[in-house]
Amino acid sequence: MNNRLITFLALTLGLATAAPAEDRALIIGVEGYPNLDLRLAPQSATDDAIAMAQLAVERWGYGQTQVSVLLDSAATSAAILDALIDELVGLTAPGDRALLYFAGLGSRNAADTRVILAYDSESLLGRIPEDALSDILDLIADRDVTVIMDTGFRGDIATPGQRGIGAPGFEATPFAANGDSRAVYAASAVSQTAWETAQGGVMTNALIAAAKGAADTNADGTITHGETIAYLRSQSTAWCATQANCAPMGLSPDFAGPLNRSATGIEVAGAAPAPQTNAPFTASNSADVRLSIDGGTALSIGQSVTFRVLAQAAGTLLILDVDPQGQLSRVFPSRLAAGSGTRIVPGVELSIPSGTSANGAPLRVRVTGPAGDGYLLGVLIEGADVDATTLLPQNATAADLPQLAQTLSNLGRSYSVTTLNYTISN
Protein backbone atom coordinates (compact mmCIF):
# COMPACT_ATOMS: atom_id res chain seq x y z
CA MET A 1 0.00 0.00 0.00
CA ASN A 2 1.55 3.33 -1.04
CA ASN A 3 1.79 6.43 1.11
CA ARG A 4 -0.90 8.32 -0.82
CA LEU A 5 -3.45 5.57 -0.14
CA ILE A 6 -2.42 5.33 3.52
CA THR A 7 -2.97 9.07 3.89
CA PHE A 8 -6.34 8.84 2.17
CA LEU A 9 -7.51 6.02 4.46
CA ALA A 10 -6.36 7.86 7.58
CA LEU A 11 -8.20 11.00 6.59
CA THR A 12 -11.48 9.26 5.73
CA LEU A 13 -11.55 6.69 8.55
CA GLY A 14 -14.76 6.87 10.56
CA LEU A 15 -16.74 9.12 8.24
CA ALA A 16 -19.31 6.39 7.59
CA THR A 17 -20.42 6.43 11.23
CA ALA A 18 -22.71 8.97 12.82
CA ALA A 19 -20.97 12.03 14.23
CA PRO A 20 -22.06 15.08 16.24
CA ALA A 21 -22.19 18.49 14.61
CA GLU A 22 -18.65 19.80 14.16
CA ASP A 23 -16.25 21.37 11.67
CA ARG A 24 -16.20 19.51 8.35
CA ALA A 25 -14.01 19.65 5.24
CA LEU A 26 -14.71 18.15 1.80
CA ILE A 27 -11.61 17.84 -0.38
CA ILE A 28 -11.98 16.82 -4.04
CA GLY A 29 -9.29 16.06 -6.64
CA VAL A 30 -10.07 14.92 -10.20
CA GLU A 31 -7.47 14.48 -12.91
CA GLY A 32 -8.86 11.62 -14.98
CA TYR A 33 -11.96 12.07 -17.15
CA PRO A 34 -12.48 8.72 -18.90
CA ASN A 35 -15.74 9.69 -20.61
CA LEU A 36 -14.11 12.79 -22.09
CA ASP A 37 -10.78 11.18 -22.98
CA LEU A 38 -9.06 13.92 -20.97
CA ARG A 39 -6.43 13.79 -18.27
CA LEU A 40 -4.57 16.45 -16.33
CA ALA A 41 -0.93 16.15 -15.35
CA PRO A 42 -0.38 12.76 -13.65
CA GLN A 43 -1.23 12.94 -9.92
CA SER A 44 -1.41 16.73 -10.05
CA ALA A 45 -5.01 17.34 -8.89
CA THR A 46 -5.15 14.27 -6.65
CA ASP A 47 -1.84 15.18 -5.01
CA ASP A 48 -3.22 18.68 -4.51
CA ALA A 49 -6.24 17.24 -2.73
CA ILE A 50 -4.11 15.05 -0.47
CA ALA A 51 -1.86 18.01 0.37
CA MET A 52 -4.87 20.20 1.16
CA ALA A 53 -6.37 17.52 3.41
CA GLN A 54 -3.10 17.35 5.32
CA LEU A 55 -3.01 21.14 5.54
CA ALA A 56 -6.55 21.22 6.93
CA VAL A 57 -5.51 18.85 9.71
CA GLU A 58 -2.00 20.09 10.45
CA ARG A 59 -2.43 23.85 10.01
CA TRP A 60 -6.13 24.67 10.16
CA GLY A 61 -7.05 22.46 13.10
CA TYR A 62 -9.55 20.07 11.53
CA GLY A 63 -9.67 16.62 13.09
CA GLN A 64 -8.74 13.72 10.83
CA THR A 65 -12.28 12.33 11.03
CA GLN A 66 -13.64 15.74 10.07
CA VAL A 67 -12.01 15.65 6.62
CA SER A 68 -13.46 13.70 3.70
CA VAL A 69 -11.39 13.19 0.55
CA LEU A 70 -12.82 12.22 -2.86
CA LEU A 71 -10.20 11.33 -5.48
CA ASP A 72 -10.79 10.53 -9.17
CA SER A 73 -13.22 7.61 -9.49
CA ALA A 74 -14.60 8.31 -6.01
CA ALA A 75 -15.41 11.89 -7.06
CA THR A 76 -18.51 11.24 -9.17
CA SER A 77 -21.20 13.89 -9.53
CA ALA A 78 -23.50 12.00 -7.16
CA ALA A 79 -20.77 11.41 -4.60
CA ILE A 80 -19.79 15.09 -4.55
CA LEU A 81 -23.37 16.32 -4.17
CA ASP A 82 -24.13 13.67 -1.53
CA ALA A 83 -21.05 14.66 0.47
CA LEU A 84 -21.98 18.34 0.28
CA ILE A 85 -25.44 17.63 1.69
CA ASP A 86 -24.59 14.82 4.10
CA GLU A 87 -21.39 16.27 5.53
CA LEU A 88 -21.01 20.02 5.03
CA VAL A 89 -24.73 20.63 5.59
CA GLY A 90 -25.83 17.67 7.70
CA LEU A 91 -22.85 17.33 10.04
CA THR A 92 -22.22 21.00 10.85
CA ALA A 93 -24.09 23.42 13.09
CA PRO A 94 -24.27 27.23 13.20
CA GLY A 95 -20.83 28.65 13.95
CA ASP A 96 -18.94 25.55 12.78
CA ARG A 97 -16.39 25.71 9.97
CA ALA A 98 -17.07 24.17 6.56
CA LEU A 99 -14.30 23.87 3.97
CA LEU A 100 -14.80 22.90 0.31
CA TYR A 101 -11.79 22.39 -1.95
CA PHE A 102 -11.86 21.33 -5.61
CA ALA A 103 -8.96 20.67 -7.98
CA GLY A 104 -9.86 19.61 -11.51
CA LEU A 105 -11.45 20.92 -14.67
CA GLY A 106 -14.02 23.68 -14.93
CA SER A 107 -16.25 24.44 -17.89
CA ARG A 108 -19.57 26.08 -18.84
CA ASN A 109 -22.95 24.55 -19.58
CA ALA A 110 -25.43 25.42 -22.33
CA ALA A 111 -26.72 28.37 -20.28
CA ASP A 112 -23.13 29.71 -19.97
CA THR A 113 -23.20 28.89 -16.25
CA ARG A 114 -19.88 27.87 -14.75
CA VAL A 115 -19.65 24.19 -13.81
CA ILE A 116 -17.09 21.93 -12.17
CA LEU A 117 -16.48 18.59 -13.87
CA ALA A 118 -16.71 15.45 -11.77
CA TYR A 119 -14.93 12.20 -12.69
CA ASP A 120 -18.01 10.76 -14.43
CA SER A 121 -18.83 13.85 -16.52
CA GLU A 122 -20.15 12.66 -19.88
CA SER A 123 -19.74 16.01 -21.60
CA LEU A 124 -18.16 19.40 -21.02
CA LEU A 125 -21.56 20.63 -19.75
CA GLY A 126 -21.02 18.83 -16.44
CA ARG A 127 -23.58 18.11 -13.73
CA ILE A 128 -22.53 20.49 -10.94
CA PRO A 129 -23.34 24.06 -12.00
CA GLU A 130 -22.48 27.07 -9.90
CA ASP A 131 -26.09 27.87 -9.01
CA ALA A 132 -26.69 24.35 -7.65
CA LEU A 133 -23.55 24.52 -5.53
CA SER A 134 -24.43 28.00 -4.29
CA ASP A 135 -27.92 26.83 -3.31
CA ILE A 136 -26.37 24.10 -1.16
CA LEU A 137 -23.88 26.46 0.46
CA ASP A 138 -26.66 28.97 1.14
CA LEU A 139 -28.16 26.34 3.45
CA ILE A 140 -25.16 26.83 5.76
CA ALA A 141 -24.86 30.60 5.57
CA ASP A 142 -24.64 30.62 9.38
CA ARG A 143 -21.42 28.55 9.26
CA ASP A 144 -17.90 29.84 8.61
CA VAL A 145 -17.61 28.60 5.02
CA THR A 146 -14.42 28.64 2.93
CA VAL A 147 -14.48 27.58 -0.73
CA ILE A 148 -11.23 27.02 -2.64
CA MET A 149 -11.53 26.40 -6.39
CA ASP A 150 -8.25 25.46 -8.07
CA THR A 151 -9.93 25.32 -11.45
CA GLY A 152 -10.78 27.69 -14.30
CA PHE A 153 -13.68 28.18 -16.69
CA ARG A 154 -11.89 29.03 -19.89
CA GLY A 155 -8.96 27.55 -21.77
CA ASP A 156 -7.80 25.21 -24.48
CA ILE A 157 -7.27 21.73 -23.11
CA ALA A 158 -4.85 21.09 -25.96
CA THR A 159 -2.47 23.46 -24.17
CA PRO A 160 -0.81 21.43 -21.40
CA GLY A 161 -1.21 22.70 -17.87
CA GLN A 162 -4.62 24.37 -18.12
CA ARG A 163 -7.44 23.52 -15.72
CA GLY A 164 -10.29 25.05 -17.71
CA ILE A 165 -12.17 24.45 -20.96
CA GLY A 166 -14.01 26.87 -23.23
CA ALA A 167 -14.29 30.56 -23.99
CA PRO A 168 -14.45 33.22 -21.27
CA GLY A 169 -17.80 34.50 -20.08
CA PHE A 170 -19.03 37.16 -17.68
CA GLU A 171 -17.69 36.45 -14.18
CA ALA A 172 -18.31 39.18 -11.65
CA THR A 173 -17.18 37.11 -8.68
CA PRO A 174 -15.31 33.89 -7.93
CA PHE A 175 -17.21 30.62 -8.41
CA ALA A 176 -19.97 30.24 -5.76
CA ALA A 177 -19.19 33.57 -4.09
CA ASN A 178 -21.91 35.25 -2.04
CA GLY A 179 -20.81 38.65 -0.82
CA ASP A 180 -19.22 38.52 2.61
CA SER A 181 -21.08 35.45 3.84
CA ARG A 182 -18.30 33.06 2.88
CA ALA A 183 -14.66 33.19 1.85
CA VAL A 184 -14.13 32.08 -1.75
CA TYR A 185 -10.77 31.67 -3.48
CA ALA A 186 -10.53 31.25 -7.24
CA ALA A 187 -7.36 30.24 -9.07
CA SER A 188 -7.68 32.96 -11.70
CA ALA A 189 -9.50 36.17 -12.49
CA VAL A 190 -11.98 36.73 -15.31
CA SER A 191 -10.59 36.11 -18.83
CA GLN A 192 -7.76 34.04 -17.37
CA THR A 193 -7.30 30.31 -17.02
CA ALA A 194 -6.09 28.28 -14.06
CA TRP A 195 -2.76 26.50 -14.40
CA GLU A 196 -1.01 23.45 -13.00
CA THR A 197 2.37 21.78 -13.29
CA ALA A 198 3.46 18.22 -12.56
CA GLN A 199 4.01 19.48 -8.99
CA GLY A 200 0.39 20.62 -8.59
CA GLY A 201 -1.85 23.61 -9.13
CA VAL A 202 -0.11 26.97 -9.15
CA MET A 203 -2.63 28.39 -6.67
CA THR A 204 -2.64 25.34 -4.40
CA ASN A 205 1.15 25.32 -4.11
CA ALA A 206 1.10 29.01 -3.19
CA LEU A 207 -1.80 28.51 -0.78
CA ILE A 208 0.03 25.80 1.13
CA ALA A 209 3.13 27.98 1.41
CA ALA A 210 0.93 30.89 2.53
CA ALA A 211 -0.72 28.80 5.26
CA LYS A 212 2.66 27.60 6.51
CA GLY A 213 3.73 31.17 7.24
CA ALA A 214 4.83 32.80 3.99
CA ALA A 215 1.75 35.08 3.96
CA ASP A 216 2.22 36.36 7.53
CA THR A 217 3.66 39.65 6.33
CA ASN A 218 3.20 41.50 9.62
CA ALA A 219 4.61 38.58 11.66
CA ASP A 220 1.73 38.64 14.15
CA GLY A 221 1.27 34.88 14.03
CA THR A 222 -2.14 35.11 12.34
CA ILE A 223 -2.67 34.80 8.59
CA THR A 224 -5.79 36.56 7.35
CA HIS A 225 -7.66 35.99 4.11
CA GLY A 226 -6.37 39.38 2.99
CA GLU A 227 -2.76 38.39 3.58
CA THR A 228 -3.38 35.03 1.90
CA ILE A 229 -4.88 36.39 -1.32
CA ALA A 230 -2.15 39.03 -1.57
CA TYR A 231 0.48 36.30 -1.36
CA LEU A 232 -1.35 34.09 -3.89
CA ARG A 233 -1.50 36.94 -6.38
CA SER A 234 2.17 37.81 -6.04
CA GLN A 235 3.28 34.20 -6.46
CA SER A 236 0.90 33.45 -9.33
CA THR A 237 1.85 36.63 -11.19
CA ALA A 238 5.55 35.86 -10.83
CA TRP A 239 5.09 32.26 -12.07
CA CYS A 240 2.93 33.31 -15.01
CA ALA A 241 5.43 35.91 -16.19
CA THR A 242 7.93 33.10 -16.87
CA GLN A 243 5.48 30.98 -18.93
CA ALA A 244 4.99 31.75 -22.62
CA ASN A 245 1.42 30.42 -22.69
CA CYS A 246 0.34 32.19 -19.51
CA ALA A 247 2.07 35.56 -19.75
CA PRO A 248 -0.20 37.12 -22.44
CA MET A 249 -3.37 36.79 -20.33
CA GLY A 250 -1.79 36.99 -16.85
CA LEU A 251 -2.68 35.08 -13.71
CA SER A 252 -4.22 36.72 -10.64
CA PRO A 253 -6.26 34.59 -8.22
CA ASP A 254 -9.54 36.17 -7.15
CA PHE A 255 -11.21 36.34 -3.74
CA ALA A 256 -14.53 37.29 -2.21
CA GLY A 257 -15.20 37.40 1.51
CA PRO A 258 -14.00 38.88 4.81
CA LEU A 259 -10.42 40.02 4.28
CA ASN A 260 -9.64 40.56 7.96
CA ARG A 261 -10.81 37.17 9.16
CA SER A 262 -8.20 34.54 9.90
CA ALA A 263 -7.83 31.96 7.15
CA THR A 264 -8.31 29.30 9.83
CA GLY A 265 -11.79 30.65 10.53
CA ILE A 266 -10.94 32.41 13.80
CA GLU A 267 -11.43 36.15 14.13
CA VAL A 268 -8.17 38.08 14.21
CA ALA A 269 -7.53 39.43 17.69
CA GLY A 270 -6.92 43.17 17.62
CA ALA A 271 -7.25 43.43 13.84
CA ALA A 272 -8.46 46.67 12.33
CA PRO A 273 -12.11 46.61 11.26
CA ALA A 274 -12.66 45.23 7.77
CA PRO A 275 -13.50 48.03 5.33
CA GLN A 276 -16.61 46.22 4.11
CA THR A 277 -19.21 47.01 6.74
CA ASN A 278 -22.77 48.24 7.04
CA ALA A 279 -21.96 50.26 10.18
CA PRO A 280 -23.34 52.74 11.12
CA PHE A 281 -26.40 51.44 9.24
CA THR A 282 -28.90 49.25 11.08
CA ALA A 283 -30.94 48.29 8.01
CA SER A 284 -30.75 44.79 6.57
CA ASN A 285 -30.60 43.94 2.89
CA SER A 286 -34.25 42.91 2.59
CA ALA A 287 -34.37 44.01 -1.06
CA ASP A 288 -31.46 41.67 -1.86
CA VAL A 289 -29.36 44.42 -3.43
CA ARG A 290 -26.30 42.90 -5.11
CA LEU A 291 -23.24 44.86 -6.21
CA SER A 292 -20.57 43.51 -8.54
CA ILE A 293 -17.64 44.72 -10.58
CA ASP A 294 -17.21 43.39 -14.10
CA GLY A 295 -13.84 41.63 -13.95
CA GLY A 296 -13.85 40.92 -10.22
CA THR A 297 -12.84 42.78 -7.08
CA ALA A 298 -9.07 42.54 -7.58
CA LEU A 299 -8.42 45.77 -9.48
CA SER A 300 -5.33 47.37 -10.99
CA ILE A 301 -4.66 51.06 -11.52
CA GLY A 302 -5.45 51.84 -15.15
CA GLN A 303 -7.91 48.97 -15.54
CA SER A 304 -11.32 49.69 -17.08
CA VAL A 305 -14.39 48.31 -15.30
CA THR A 306 -18.18 48.37 -15.24
CA PHE A 307 -20.18 48.39 -12.01
CA ARG A 308 -23.37 46.31 -11.87
CA VAL A 309 -26.29 46.29 -9.46
CA LEU A 310 -29.35 44.08 -9.15
CA ALA A 311 -32.21 44.28 -6.64
CA GLN A 312 -35.50 42.57 -5.98
CA ALA A 313 -37.44 45.73 -5.04
CA ALA A 314 -38.08 49.06 -6.72
CA GLY A 315 -36.75 52.27 -5.25
CA THR A 316 -34.22 55.07 -5.31
CA LEU A 317 -30.66 53.81 -5.65
CA LEU A 318 -27.53 55.37 -4.18
CA ILE A 319 -24.08 53.83 -4.68
CA LEU A 320 -21.04 55.32 -2.96
CA ASP A 321 -17.37 54.47 -3.30
CA VAL A 322 -15.14 54.64 -0.21
CA ASP A 323 -11.58 54.53 -1.53
CA PRO A 324 -8.51 53.13 0.33
CA GLN A 325 -7.91 56.57 1.90
CA GLY A 326 -11.50 56.95 3.12
CA GLN A 327 -12.49 59.45 0.43
CA LEU A 328 -16.12 59.25 -0.63
CA SER A 329 -17.47 59.59 -4.17
CA ARG A 330 -20.87 58.94 -5.72
CA VAL A 331 -21.05 56.17 -8.32
CA PHE A 332 -24.82 56.44 -8.80
CA PRO A 333 -26.82 58.56 -9.63
CA SER A 334 -24.37 59.50 -12.35
CA ARG A 335 -24.32 61.12 -15.76
CA LEU A 336 -22.48 57.96 -16.87
CA ALA A 337 -25.75 56.08 -16.45
CA ALA A 338 -27.83 58.45 -18.56
CA GLY A 339 -31.48 57.51 -18.86
CA SER A 340 -31.48 55.47 -15.65
CA GLY A 341 -32.68 58.33 -13.43
CA THR A 342 -32.28 57.34 -9.80
CA ARG A 343 -34.57 54.30 -9.85
CA ILE A 344 -33.87 50.61 -10.10
CA VAL A 345 -36.32 48.07 -11.53
CA PRO A 346 -36.72 44.77 -9.64
CA GLY A 347 -34.85 41.93 -11.29
CA VAL A 348 -33.30 44.16 -13.99
CA GLU A 349 -29.53 44.58 -13.80
CA LEU A 350 -28.24 48.14 -14.00
CA SER A 351 -24.80 48.80 -15.52
CA ILE A 352 -22.71 51.83 -14.56
CA PRO A 353 -21.70 53.31 -16.88
CA SER A 354 -24.36 52.42 -19.42
CA GLY A 355 -24.52 53.16 -23.12
CA THR A 356 -21.73 53.36 -25.67
CA SER A 357 -19.03 55.80 -26.72
CA ALA A 358 -18.92 57.65 -30.04
CA ASN A 359 -17.22 54.68 -31.70
CA GLY A 360 -19.88 52.26 -30.43
CA ALA A 361 -17.74 50.63 -27.71
CA PRO A 362 -19.30 50.12 -24.26
CA LEU A 363 -18.49 52.88 -21.78
CA ARG A 364 -16.12 51.88 -18.99
CA VAL A 365 -14.73 53.49 -15.81
CA ARG A 366 -10.95 53.66 -15.45
CA VAL A 367 -9.53 52.64 -12.06
CA THR A 368 -7.28 55.25 -10.43
CA GLY A 369 -5.24 55.25 -7.25
CA PRO A 370 -4.56 55.08 -4.43
CA ALA A 371 -3.76 51.39 -4.05
CA GLY A 372 -5.26 49.48 -1.13
CA ASP A 373 -8.60 48.19 0.13
CA GLY A 374 -11.84 50.07 -0.43
CA TYR A 375 -15.52 49.26 -0.73
CA LEU A 376 -18.73 50.11 -2.54
CA LEU A 377 -21.79 50.98 -0.45
CA GLY A 378 -25.22 50.45 -2.01
CA VAL A 379 -28.44 51.89 -0.56
CA LEU A 380 -31.94 51.24 -1.95
CA ILE A 381 -34.74 53.44 -0.56
CA GLU A 382 -38.16 51.96 -1.26
CA GLY A 383 -41.23 54.00 -2.15
CA ALA A 384 -41.50 57.33 -3.96
CA ASP A 385 -38.49 59.02 -5.53
CA VAL A 386 -35.89 60.65 -3.29
CA ASP A 387 -33.27 63.14 -4.50
CA ALA A 388 -30.27 60.92 -3.77
CA THR A 389 -27.84 63.74 -4.57
CA THR A 390 -28.97 65.66 -1.45
CA LEU A 391 -28.50 62.84 1.07
CA LEU A 392 -24.87 63.78 1.76
CA PRO A 393 -23.09 67.14 1.96
CA GLN A 394 -20.69 68.25 -0.75
CA ASN A 395 -17.12 66.91 -0.36
CA ALA A 396 -18.32 64.24 2.07
CA THR A 397 -15.93 61.59 3.38
CA ALA A 398 -16.43 58.21 5.04
CA ALA A 399 -16.67 60.11 8.33
CA ASP A 400 -20.01 61.52 7.10
CA LEU A 401 -21.64 58.10 6.73
CA PRO A 402 -23.27 58.32 10.21
CA GLN A 403 -24.99 61.50 8.96
CA LEU A 404 -26.27 59.54 5.94
CA ALA A 405 -27.59 56.82 8.23
CA GLN A 406 -29.42 59.38 10.34
CA THR A 407 -30.88 61.07 7.26
CA LEU A 408 -32.19 57.75 5.98
CA SER A 409 -33.74 56.96 9.35
CA ASN A 410 -35.44 60.36 9.40
CA LEU A 411 -37.11 59.58 6.06
CA GLY A 412 -39.20 56.91 7.75
CA ARG A 413 -38.81 54.65 4.72
CA SER A 414 -37.77 51.04 4.37
CA TYR A 415 -34.27 50.85 2.94
CA SER A 416 -31.67 48.16 2.25
CA VAL A 417 -27.89 48.40 2.57
CA THR A 418 -25.15 46.23 1.09
CA THR A 419 -21.40 46.55 0.56
CA LEU A 420 -18.73 45.09 -1.72
CA ASN A 421 -15.01 45.02 -0.90
CA TYR A 422 -12.38 45.60 -3.54
CA THR A 423 -8.60 45.81 -3.64
CA ILE A 424 -6.60 48.14 -5.92
CA SER A 425 -3.00 47.25 -6.77
CA ASN A 426 -0.39 49.23 -8.69
Side-chain angles (χ1 to χ4, degrees):
M1 184 180 293
N2 61 44
N3 289 336
R4 294 175 69 245
L5 185 54
I6 292 172
T7 303
F8 172 74
L9 291 174
L11 289 169
T12 56
L13 183 63
L15 288 178
T17 61
E22 58 185 1
D23 296 340
R24 306 296 299 191
L26 176 59
I27 311 293
I28 304 162
V30 184
E31 59 197 35
Y33 292 89
N35 297 327
L36 305 178
D37 193 26
L38 295 173
R39 186 169 187 85
L40 303 184
Q43 297 187 351
S44 173
T46 52
D47 279 358
D48 279 353
I50 291 295
M52 286 300 301
Q54 292 172 326
L55 184 77
V57 172
E58 296 170 2
R59 293 283 175 168
W60 291 343
Y62 286 81
Q64 286 196 344
T65 58
Q66 296 174 340
V67 181
S68 179
V69 181
L70 299 177
L71 303 179
D72 265 349
S73 60
T76 63
S77 300
I80 291 172
L81 292 173
D82 285 348
L84 284 167
I85 294 295
D86 295 344
E87 298 178 23
L88 294 196
V89 176
L91 296 181
T92 61
D96 288 340
R97 293 180 298 164
L99 170 65
L100 172 63
Y101 171 87
F102 176 81
L105 285 177
S107 184
R108 296 177 184 276
N109 62 20
D112 200 34
T113 300
R114 294 177 290 185
V115 297
I116 56 175
L117 298 182
Y119 178 83
D120 62 341
S121 296
E122 296 176 347
S123 76
L124 300 184
L125 302 180
R127 298 181 184 175
I128 308 178
E130 178 178 20
D131 49 3
L133 181 58
S134 292
D135 286 345
I136 294 173
L137 295 177
D138 285 345
L139 297 174
I140 52 174
D142 54 0
R143 278 69 151 175
D144 186 350
V145 180
T146 299
V147 178
I148 303 170
M149 287 286 156
D150 198 342
T151 187
F153 305 93
R154 66 155 294 175
D156 176 8
I157 200 63
T159 302
Q162 296 190 356
R163 282 188 177 174
I165 302 174
F170 174 70
E171 299 168 17
T173 54
F175 186 88
N178 184 18
D180 220 26
S181 67
R182 53 182 171 256
V184 181
Y185 291 87
S188 62
V190 63
S191 299
Q192 298 175 347
T193 191
W195 292 86
E196 67 173 8
T197 69
Q199 288 72 48
V202 173
M203 184 184 77
T204 295
N205 285 335
L207 182 62
I208 292 171
K212 291 183 176 180
D216 189 11
T217 53
N218 60 0
D220 66 351
T222 301
I223 300 172
T224 65
H225 288 303
E227 288 175 313
T228 300
I229 191 60
Y231 182 80
L232 298 188
R233 287 170 180 159
S234 67
Q235 295 299 300
S236 297
T237 298
W239 177 88
C240 181
T242 66
Q243 308 296 315
N245 289 328
C246 179
M249 68 179 74
L251 183 61
S252 179
D254 208 351
F255 176 80
L259 292 171
N260 268 21
R261 183 175 289 277
S262 167
T264 65
I266 303 171
E267 195 68 47
V268 183
Q276 182 168 341
T277 174
N278 283 347
F281 300 92
T282 59
S284 65
N285 189 12
S286 59
D288 193 21
V289 182
R290 301 186 183 187
L291 302 174
S292 62
I293 302 174
D294 190 356
T297 56
L299 307 175
S300 301
I301 293 176
Q303 177 183 352
S304 295
V305 300
T306 297
F307 302 105
R308 301 182 187 273
V309 59
L310 183 69
Q312 301 306 315
T316 300
L317 178 67
L318 173 66
I319 302 178
L320 301 172
D321 174 36
V322 181
D323 75 12
Q325 292 185 346
Q327 298 301 308
L328 199 68
S329 60
R330 193 176 71 235
V331 177
F332 186 87
S334 169
R335 61 183 178 81
L336 294 176
S340 301
T342 61
R343 302 282 293 180
I344 188 166
V345 178
V348 177
E349 186 178 70
L350 173 66
S351 298
I352 309 165
S354 58
T356 58
S357 63
N359 64 5
L363 292 173
R364 308 274 281 179
V365 173
R366 185 169 295 277
V367 177
T368 60
D373 295 329
Y375 65 96
L376 297 178
L377 171 68
V379 179
L380 176 65
I381 308 166
E382 298 183 39
D385 285 351
V386 175
D387 186 354
T389 64
T390 65
L391 295 176
L392 276 169
Q394 294 291 327
N395 302 316
T397 69
D400 294 301
L401 289 178
Q403 178 180 338
L404 173 61
Q406 185 61 54
T407 300
L408 292 170
S409 296
N410 292 341
L411 289 174
R413 301 273 196 88
S414 295
Y415 68 94
S416 295
V417 179
T418 190
T419 47
L420 178 69
N421 265 357
Y422 62 77
T423 299
I424 299 176
S425 58
N426 291 313

